[in-house]
Amino acid sequence: MDPRPHRVVERRRWLYYLLVGLCFGVVDFYFHTFIQRWTGLGVFFLGLGVWLVPLLPVVLNESAVTRRTSRAVAAGIAVWLAAIVAYYAYLGFNLVVIGRASRPEMHFTSHTDPYYWSNVSYLEAYSG
């Protein structure tokens, strides 16, 4: 029996995982923009919990297909890494190509904003 068809299916599955992560990174960019106007502890958990949306189906599928925990963990890490890369790449794309800053209140030209200095002092205090 030729083992190559199995390799093709496995590669295709991992490409789908990376594609899920890349798409989620862009969607997450808009999701956090959408929930910024809400307040409360639920928003905090919603902002962090949304990262389980692409992770759970991928990890559950990989563990069902391979029956190996290490492969499921690797699939989850790959999805998260792809999502993070896509998020920051899209942030840069918005800034460079479209010309829209996602956090204009944090830009140094907004020093007259009433919350600018509190944002800067907060970042300096927690930047280590």
Side-chain angles (χ1 to χ4, degrees):
M1 182 177 225
D2 190 15
R4 285 181 282 174
H6 174 69
R7 288 256 186 216
V8 170
V9 170
E10 184 177 343
R11 285 184 185 154
R12 188 176 299 148
R13 189 174 69 241
W14 279 84
L15 285 175
Y16 287 142
Y17 295 163
L18 292 177
L19 185 63
V20 164
L22 291 173
C23 291
F24 177 76
V26 174
V27 169
D28 186 56
F29 181 84
Y30 288 108
F31 177 75
H32 284 283
T33 304
F34 175 70
I35 66 168
Q36 269 182 343
R37 48 190 156 212
W38 299 348
T39 59
L41 189 59
V43 175
F44 173 75
F45 289 115
L46 188 62
L48 294 177
V50 72
W51 282 85
L52 295 175
V53 170
L55 183 71
L56 287 177
V58 167
V59 169
L60 292 175
N61 181 56
E62 187 65 22
S63 64
V65 169
T66 63
R67 305 253 183 234
R68 291 177 59 192
T69 306
S70 60
R71 297 293 298 252
V73 169
I77 290 171
V79 168
W80 271 357
L81 286 175
I84 290 168
V85 167
Y87 179 87
Y88 285 106
Y90 192 70
L91 186 122
F93 174 79
N94 266 334
L95 185 61
V96 173
V97 177
I98 299 175
R100 180 181 58 207
S102 63
R103 299 286 309 265
E105 75 276 6
M106 296 299 291
H107 197 266
F108 69 93
T109 59
S110 300
H111 61 86
T112 57
D113 187 279
Y115 299 107
Y116 177 78
W117 292 110
S118 64
N119 290 336
V120 170
S121 63
Y122 176 81
L123 289 176
E124 288 174 350
Y126 292 101
S127 64

